[in-house]
Amino acid sequence: MKVTMLFLGLLALFIAPGLANYNINVNDNDNVAGSGQQRVSINNAHNVANVDNNNGWNSWNSIWDYENSFAATRLFAKKSCIVHRMNMEVMPSIQTLDALAKQQKLQGKGPAGSPPKNMVFSINPNQVDDLSQFGNNIAGMCQGIPTFVAEEIPGENLPLYSEKCYDANILWILNMSFCRTTEEQF
């Protein structure tokens, strides 16, 4: 009986870290037009990743809800929240994000490998009234602030949007640009 209890205790000790929340901090020590400090939190039990970018007034927070296939980015400078569908052909899986974030932490700077993937989104000017359609995680983050839906735009050469975009670059692996079509928008 004691051997069984000891075995179950050791098994739980090895399995628990894979199910728990954990954080990975990535610093941009040079911070010259850099991204400040990023922190990635992954919750495997709820299938959610949270990326915090702390860079003064240009700070933002992004939540990737893999279970509902939606992501949202809260732009503090714009006092708004942008929600979009997750494109799993471009955005890394939660397991890949976990591995890449750990790799970036060890390197301390961007990887010497392939360049980051780019995603450009067009923001719909109409505010979202019902946040529940995006799941509890995103509804909780965007509650009480103007929220807009964005659609991914294929291609990278978008002169119509070039001056009206807000960028959220994640761990040197994914560059996301949220673009508006009018100056008044958000």
Side-chain angles (χ1 to χ4, degrees):
M1 180 69 166
K2 290 182 181 180
V3 173
T4 305
M5 293 298 286
L6 179 63
F7 175 73
L8 289 176
L10 289 173
L11 182 63
L13 183 66
F14 290 112
I15 291 177
L19 299 175
N21 296 335
Y22 56 89
N23 300 315
I24 300 165
N25 291 310
V26 178
N27 292 314
D28 179 7
N29 294 329
D30 297 332
N31 204 18
V32 177
S35 59
Q37 179 183 20
Q38 286 192 357
R39 179 177 160 203
V40 177
S41 303
I42 296 176
N43 184 321
N44 288 314
H46 292 107
N47 218 15
V48 172
N50 187 335
V51 182
D52 294 308
N53 186 72
N54 300 314
N55 190 21
W57 189 238
N58 291 321
S59 296
W60 50 264
N61 175 271
S62 188
I63 191 165
W64 297 0
D65 188 339
Y66 287 89
E67 191 169 308
N68 292 313
S69 298
F70 282 105
T73 301
R74 183 174 180 171
L75 306 172
F76 292 105
K78 300 295 183 182
K79 298 179 185 172
S80 61
C81 202
I82 311 299
V83 180
H84 61 89
R85 281 214 169 271
M86 294 178 67
N87 179 347
M88 297 314 294
E89 292 179 12
V90 179
M91 298 176 79
S93 69
I94 198 166
Q95 295 82 10
T96 303
L97 179 62
D98 173 29
L100 288 170
K102 287 177 183 176
Q103 175 186 356
Q104 303 306 342
K105 180 180 181 182
L106 294 175
Q107 291 179 355
K109 294 190 178 227
S114 61
K117 295 179 180 180
N118 294 308
M119 297 178 78
V120 179
F121 296 89
S122 175
I123 302 169
N124 184 323
N126 300 322
Q127 286 190 35
V128 175
D129 293 325
D130 180 20
L131 293 173
S132 65
Q133 63 185 316
F134 306 116
N136 291 335
N137 295 308
I138 291 174
M141 184 177 83
C142 296
Q143 182 179 4
I145 60 172
T147 301
F148 304 89
V149 173
E151 296 290 327
E152 185 178 0
I153 303 169
E156 295 180 26
N157 297 322
L158 303 164
L160 175 66
Y161 295 103
S162 62
E163 297 294 320
K164 304 171 189 172
C165 297
Y166 191 94
D167 296 325
N169 301 321
I170 299 170
L171 297 175
W172 308 286
I173 59 173
L174 182 63
N175 297 333
M176 296 191 304
S177 296
F178 300 101
C179 305
R180 60 190 193 275
T181 55
T182 64
E183 287 299 322
E184 300 83 37
Q185 190 177 348
F186 92 125

